[in-house]
Amino acid sequence: MHARVMAGKVKWVTDIEKSVLINNFEKRGWIQVTENEDWNFYWMSVQTIRNVFSVETGYRLSDDQIVNHFPNHYELTRKDLMVKNIKRYRKELEKEGSPLAEKDENGKYLYLDFVPITYMLPADYNLFVEEFRKSPSSTWIMKPCGKAQGKGIFLINKLSQIKKWSRDSKTSSFVTQSTKEAYVISLYINNPLLIGGRKFDLRLYVLVSTYRPLRCYMYKLGFCRFCTVKYTPSTSELDNMFVHLTNVAIQKHGEDYNHIHGGKWTVSNLRLYLESTRGREVTTKLFDEIHWIIVQSLKAVAPVMNNDKHCFECYGYDIIIDDKLKPWLIEVNASPSLTSSTANDRILKYNLINDTLNIAVPNGEIPDCKWNKSPPKEVLGNYEILYDEELAQGDGADRELRGRPGQALGPRGIRSRDMGRTVLTTWK
């Protein structure tokens, strides 16, 4: 082992020129090389990962090389595929008779109802129209499947606004994943929890070191992103994206954008605010449900994920909380922005990368993919283990199911009734 450590330092490459990355590599005394030289660690863009793992290049990674994406991360990070995988996962659990797939008398999932009703367009156009007619006063949000930062998003509340889709829907199919015009349309959460009259969402960072068995970590220092303009569900404001979209890429152009705090709050601030306005119990329940959603979404994609041992990934989860304190998973980002809009942001992102590297590249030594990636607690920094499938199985079903709703297993009575509704206890 010593010979290997002596043999040299980690050689790194990146195609994302961001100081929070480069400063981290340099602080470790790692050596920068080009992608054509022998490298150990490549922090790459999603475009590059596609080339590295494409069949044509037939590129083989060796045991001392690791990269920051799974080859088909898009199963989780493309808006249409995420929803498709979650729908498939629910059906499978239902087939198995799992209590997780339990439904209420209206056929709604009790525990797995955490993504807004969503359809793919143009493929599901007719299904969408059927749903639209059930509640014609609702607002829907349309997003291109493969774009980020709020690009190409618009809100609609009339069928005529997407009639042009129906014309294409006959010919266009989802066979080609790269169809330019693939959109998702989701029921817009028009009762978001507001703070100071403004809408916000949560950006949480989740690190996955392996999918099978699933091992994931939650970064404690997530944040809320606020809109700069007060929220109104008024349909006259449907095309004002400063009211509806929290993306910094959009909000920073608003005249009320604050360049010092960047319209952001830390998650711990949100927690304190909710505990003081709504009470500790419902706040704890909310955060338990958020953790539950994240783990379930990862479990939904784990079976289809190419669990390459050279890979890890840090995802940016976007969650919206409605005024009933129910969290909704909006989307998952494969390359959460490493651009810093404020000084605090820069510190947060530098630390995020630092803690991520400590888990992904243990001891800063040359990686060895054969090594079991389970680091000791003291190196986790601001990460905490969110779910470890191996531990869960090792402890028997008991631990895995303790906080699972509807399960009569485990030392605590799971079904504590809260206003007639099952509450999720802490289940980690």
Side-chain angles (χ1 to χ4, degrees):
M1 183 66 195
H2 268 298
R4 289 192 57 198
V5 181
M6 301 297 291
K9 303 218 175 226
V10 173
K11 301 186 187 71
W12 63 273
V13 192
T14 185
D15 59 358
I16 299 176
E17 291 299 315
K18 289 285 187 272
S19 62
V20 293
L21 281 175
I22 293 161
N23 295 346
N24 260 300
F25 301 145
E26 288 173 347
K27 183 194 91 176
R28 288 169 159 70
W30 292 1
I31 297 156
Q32 181 170 17
V33 295
T34 67
E35 58 187 62
N36 304 321
E37 298 173 84
D38 277 336
W39 52 264
N40 306 112
F41 186 91
Y42 195 152
W43 189 289
M44 53 176 70
S45 66
V46 285
Q47 281 70 35
T48 309
I49 195 86
R50 198 173 293 139
N51 304 338
V52 166
F53 285 105
S54 77
V55 185
E56 294 80 60
T57 56
Y59 199 92
R60 291 287 306 223
L61 294 183
S62 54
D63 277 344
D64 61 357
Q65 292 185 305
I66 54 173
V67 296
N68 64 315
H69 293 290
F70 286 91
N72 60 338
H73 63 82
Y74 46 77
E75 293 285 354
L76 179 64
T77 58
R78 255 185 75 111
K79 300 172 181 74
D80 52 342
L81 296 178
M82 175 188 89
V83 170
K84 196 180 101 191
N85 282 313
I86 289 172
K87 287 179 177 174
R88 190 204 70 246
Y89 175 64
R90 288 171 179 163
K91 284 211 172 69
E92 283 168 5
L93 287 175
E94 225 172 314
K95 262 213 306 272
E96 292 163 18
S98 163
L100 299 189
E102 216 184 303
K103 291 178 169 174
D104 67 11
E105 55 282 7
N106 303 320
K108 250 174 73 160
Y109 287 99
L110 284 174
Y111 313 115
L112 295 174
D113 174 37
F114 55 81
V115 281
I117 296 175
T118 300
Y119 296 99
M120 316 309 156
L121 290 181
D124 298 341
Y125 181 77
N126 297 333
L127 287 171
F128 160 71
V129 171
E130 207 177 310
E131 188 64 38
F132 183 93
R133 295 208 163 112
K134 283 184 203 162
S135 46
S137 59
S138 48
T139 297
W140 294 75
I141 184 163
M142 265 187 88
K143 304 176 181 184
C145 291
K147 290 202 178 90
Q149 297 189 319
K151 292 189 186 80
I153 293 181
F154 56 97
L155 275 68
I156 68 148
N157 61 351
K158 294 191 184 67
L159 268 184
S160 57
Q161 291 159 310
I162 54 160
K163 270 291 193 277
K164 60 181 170 64
W165 284 94
S166 60
R167 289 201 283 281
D168 312 334
S169 63
K170 302 289 178 286
T171 51
S172 171
S173 73
F174 264 57
V175 180
T176 50
Q177 264 307 317
S178 60
T179 41
K180 286 282 171 288
E181 286 299 16
Y183 268 72
V184 292
I185 189 159
S186 303
L187 192 57
Y188 182 65
I189 307 290
N190 64 358
N191 62 325
L193 175 67
L194 303 179
I195 296 180
R198 289 177 170 75
K199 179 179 165 177
F200 67 95
D201 73 350
L202 282 182
R203 162 54 61 88
L204 301 171
Y205 297 105
V206 176
L207 172 64
V208 176
S209 55
T210 151
Y211 270 100
R212 289 191 297 282
L214 179 61
R215 189 177 301 124
C216 55
Y217 305 83
M218 174 75 141
Y219 200 61
K220 292 179 216 162
L221 310 179
F223 53 86
C224 310
R225 302 177 295 189
F226 281 86
C227 288
T228 50
V229 176
K230 289 205 168 174
Y231 179 77
T232 162
S234 152
T235 51
S236 61
E237 290 289 351
L238 279 192
D239 49 8
N240 182 349
M241 288 306 147
F242 295 123
V243 171
H244 299 288
L245 294 189
T246 55
N247 309 63
V248 173
I250 287 181
Q251 291 295 336
K252 67 181 181 195
H253 300 298
E255 49 197 56
D256 299 317
Y257 182 71
N258 179 315
H259 287 277
I260 295 166
H261 58 65
K264 287 180 178 168
W265 258 21
T266 61
V267 165
S268 47
N269 273 356
L270 174 69
R271 205 171 187 142
L272 288 171
Y273 170 83
L274 289 176
E275 283 178 357
S276 61
T277 52
R278 299 289 190 104
R280 175 161 294 175
E281 204 177 316
V282 290
T283 303
T284 303
K285 174 169 172 275
L286 165 69
F287 280 92
D288 273 353
E289 288 190 354
I290 289 172
H291 294 160
W292 157 262
I293 285 176
I294 290 170
V295 172
Q296 294 305 313
S297 66
L298 292 170
K299 285 185 163 189
V301 298
V304 295
M305 201 57 81
N306 179 342
N307 186 43
D308 193 295
K309 62 180 192 290
H310 303 95
C311 306
F312 69 92
E313 192 140 22
C314 177
Y315 297 102
Y317 267 73
D318 292 347
I319 304 270
I320 281 188
I321 302 165
D322 69 21
D323 57 11
K324 299 185 183 73
L325 290 203
K326 175 179 167 70
W328 295 91
L329 172 57
I330 302 302
E331 63 183 274
V332 184
N333 296 275
S335 278
S337 161
L338 295 177
T339 311
S340 315
S341 44
T342 67
N344 277 345
D345 224 20
R346 186 171 307 110
I347 296 164
L348 171 114
K349 285 170 182 172
Y350 177 86
N351 289 332
L352 170 72
I353 300 298
N354 179 42
D355 293 346
T356 300
L357 293 177
N358 285 342
I359 295 174
V361 191
N363 310 325
E365 291 167 8
I366 289 178
D368 177 4
C369 285
K370 295 196 191 73
W371 186 76
N372 170 18
K373 308 175 180 178
S374 193
K377 259 209 167 78
E378 46 278 12
V379 305
L380 297 184
N382 283 300
Y383 275 111
E384 48 192 352
I385 185 101
L386 184 57
Y387 184 78
D388 186 328
E389 197 170 2
E390 251 176 345
L391 272 182
Q393 288 164 350
D395 288 1
D398 172 38
R399 163 142 177 179
E400 147 87 303
L401 295 169
R402 183 172 316 153
R404 289 264 178 110
Q407 296 277 10
L409 289 164
R412 328 178 194 180
I414 306 303
R415 288 187 172 257
S416 42
R417 286 279 171 183
D418 176 22
M419 298 158 350
R421 210 182 130 210
T422 311
V423 291
L424 302 175
T425 46
T426 308
W427 50 273
K428 287 202 288 278

